[in-house]
């Protein structure tokens, strides 16, 4: 494995018209938007349907998170498919699977355990679909274009998720959950058709000779065994996850302030900060300066949260959450370095492993924060999350600089 190229930071900044001028990128961008919006609509419709059928908030919560839980299993056993199956075939098949599952669920005859099993099945293949798309970006967008393309995916995913949830709520007001699910199935059908007709038939970069699970484990061990890629992956996972863990305390903290519903403002502020950070770092910061800012930005993910020890009022709490998530843009230059460091034939799996670790780390951090919330005040837990993120950034400074 090779170290990231030092010349990368001296490249000129890419522009939006540069990346959208690539037809294949436009197709992948459209697929990502359809995926996030459709899945958001499906999730809220299924959660409402489960609650209406059972009257159980637990059932609704299980349906809501069932697609997230198997993410780490798919990342551990199936990621090699991202580099072994031609992209057009894999993405068309993945969206057809989404279509089939959503259509079956829309029929309204599937019992709750089977519903959870079907959503879990989709969750197993979700990291493979994401790794396939993102592994293709470096070839489409060389140089600094990759960073801008990744920032666009992050911003659009956040926007499509919010819009999808809002649209799902409006659709449920006008339609039944089944009708809303049929619309989600329609978005999956459009995505499958777009993948089949809009993507080129390029060969897979790595044919691999062993089974899928064995190849996935082999490449994961190879990536984690190399000092450069292991350090970059840890720098991806740890500060970001510890910082995001604080969001698990938003509702208890807002409750301490006397209005649990105000947690929505805190979480919206965090989302706005992430959007702003990706926009600023991805588009408006020069590549050489962006590389130098990676470490300070990683520190920023946790430093503002330390002030929660002072128990700030709601406006200040929202401002601190926003400031911290601006720092999450530190992962953009790290993604570029990971792409440069990973061998081309396993690049998709390397990006998929990074994403799997982030998903797993966030879930663990939020769960850990919830456990600490039984012993400490929410403000103290948020401050501890910030301190842990800062300490992690300091520990990993060699890989962040």
């Amino acid at each position: 494995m090779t170290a990231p190229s030092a010349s990368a930071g001296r490249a000129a900044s890419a522009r939006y018209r540069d990346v959208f001028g690539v037809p294949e990128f436009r197709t992948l961008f459209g697929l990502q938007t359809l995926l996030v919006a459709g899945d958001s609509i499906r999730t809220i419709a299924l959660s409402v349907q489960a609650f209406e059928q059972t009257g159980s908030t637990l059932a609704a919560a299980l349906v809501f998170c069932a697609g997230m839980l198997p993410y780490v299993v798919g990342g551990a056993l199936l990621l090699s498919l991202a580099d072994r199956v031609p992209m057009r075939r894999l993405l068309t098949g993945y969206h057809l699977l989404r279509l089939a599952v959503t259509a079956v669920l829309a029929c309204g005859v599937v019992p709750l355990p089977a519903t959870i099993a079907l959503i879990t099945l989709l969750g197993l293949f979700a990291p493979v679909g994401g790794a396939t798309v993102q592994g293709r970006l470096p070839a489409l967008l060389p140089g600094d274009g990759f960073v801008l393309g990744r920032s666009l995916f992050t911003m659009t995913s956040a926007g499509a998720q919010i819009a999808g949830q809002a649209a799902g709520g409006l659709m449920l007001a006008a339609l039944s959950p089944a009708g809303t699910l049929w619309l989600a199935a329609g978005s999956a059908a459009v995505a499958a058709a777009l993948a089949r007709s809009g993507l080129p038939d390029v060969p897979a970069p790595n044919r691999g000779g062993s089974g899928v699970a064995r190849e996935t484990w082999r490449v994961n061990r190879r990536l984690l065994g190399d000092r450069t890629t292991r350090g970059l992956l840890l720098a991806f996972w740890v500060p970001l996850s510890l910082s995001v863990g604080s969001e698990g305390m938003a509702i208890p903290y807002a409750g301490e302030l006397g209005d649990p519903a105000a947690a929505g403002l805190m979480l919206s502020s965090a989302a706005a900060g992430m959007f702003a950070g990706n926009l600023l770092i991805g588009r408006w910061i020069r590549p050489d300066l962006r590389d130098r800012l990676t470490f300070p930005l990683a520190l920023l993910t946790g430093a503002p949260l330390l002030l929660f020890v002072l128990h700030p009022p709601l406006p200040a709490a929202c401002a601190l959450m926003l400031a911290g998530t601006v720092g999450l843009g530190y992962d953009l230059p790290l993604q570029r370095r990971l792409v440069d460091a990973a061998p081309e034939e396993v690049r998709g799996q390397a990006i998929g492993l990074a994403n799997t670790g982030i998903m797993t780390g966030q879930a663990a951090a939020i769960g850990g924060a919830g456990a600490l919330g039984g012993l400490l005040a929410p403000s103290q837990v948020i401050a501890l999350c910030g301190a842990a993120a800062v300490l992690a950034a300091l520990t990993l400074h060699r890989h962040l600089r």
Side-chain angles (χ1 to χ4, degrees), residues 25 33 39 113 128 133 335 337 398:
F25 175 80
T33 304
D39 283 358
V128 179
V133 171
Q335 292 178 44
R337 296 177 203 172
R398 186 170 66 87

Side-chain angles (χ1 to χ4, degrees), residues 29-301:
F29 185 82
L31 287 173
Q32 180 72 5
T33 304
L34 286 168
L35 169 68
V36 177
D39 283 358
S40 298
I41 292 171
R42 185 193 68 230
T43 299
I44 191 171
L46 284 174
S47 297
V48 171
Q49 185 182 70
F51 183 75
E52 289 181 348
Q53 290 176 349
T54 66
S56 169
T57 56
L58 176 60
L62 286 174
V63 168
F64 190 86
C65 68
M68 306 174 191
L69 297 176
Y71 205 98
V72 65
V73 179
L77 299 178
L78 302 175
L79 267 183
S80 64
L81 289 172
D83 295 308
R84 299 177 66 178
V85 179
M87 176 182 62
R88 184 172 72 177
R89 186 188 309 168
L90 189 146
L91 290 179
T92 301
Y94 174 53
H95 291 296
L96 284 174
L97 176 64
R98 294 177 56 241
L99 167 61
V101 169
T102 308
V104 169
L105 295 173
C107 294
V109 296
V110 180
L112 181 61
T115 296
I116 294 174
L118 287 171
I119 301 171
T120 299
L121 174 66
L122 286 181
L124 287 173
F125 287 93
V128 179
T132 301
V133 171
Q134 294 169 32
R136 180 64 177 161
L137 292 185
L140 294 178
L141 307 174
D144 195 56
F146 170 75
V147 176
L148 184 58
R150 284 292 295 121
S151 71
L152 277 168
F153 268 54
T154 300
M155 292 187 295
T156 304
S157 292
Q161 184 175 5
I162 295 170
Q165 289 172 344
L170 292 174
M171 291 174 188
L172 285 169
L175 304 170
S176 65
T180 304
L181 286 170
W182 280 117
L183 291 176
S187 74
V190 172
L194 180 61
R196 181 67 180 83
S197 62
L199 293 175
D201 189 15
V202 295
N206 179 22
R207 291 296 179 181
S210 57
V212 173
R214 181 178 297 178
E215 179 71 4
T216 300
W217 273 105
R218 185 188 69 80
V219 175
N220 283 349
R221 286 197 304 270
R222 180 183 178 187
L223 293 168
L224 291 170
D226 180 83
R227 179 178 298 180
T228 299
T229 51
R230 181 176 65 246
L232 290 171
L233 288 167
L234 289 173
F236 264 119
W237 297 337
V238 185
L240 186 152
S241 297
L242 291 171
S243 173
V244 171
S246 64
E247 296 180 15
M249 287 289 102
I251 293 176
Y253 185 79
E256 274 193 346
L257 297 178
D259 184 9
L265 293 174
M266 294 176 63
L267 295 174
S268 296
S269 298
M274 182 179 67
F275 186 97
N278 274 266
L279 176 63
L280 177 66
I281 305 304
R283 177 63 184 93
W284 299 111
I285 301 297
R286 300 190 318 272
D288 55 341
L289 178 59
R290 183 191 301 139
D291 278 335
R292 294 198 298 271
L293 288 176
T294 305
F295 178 58
L297 285 169
L299 291 175
L300 182 62
T301 64

Side-chain angles (χ1 to χ4, degrees), residues 385-397:
C385 288
V390 169
L391 180 61
L394 291 171
T395 303
L396 295 164
H397 72 280

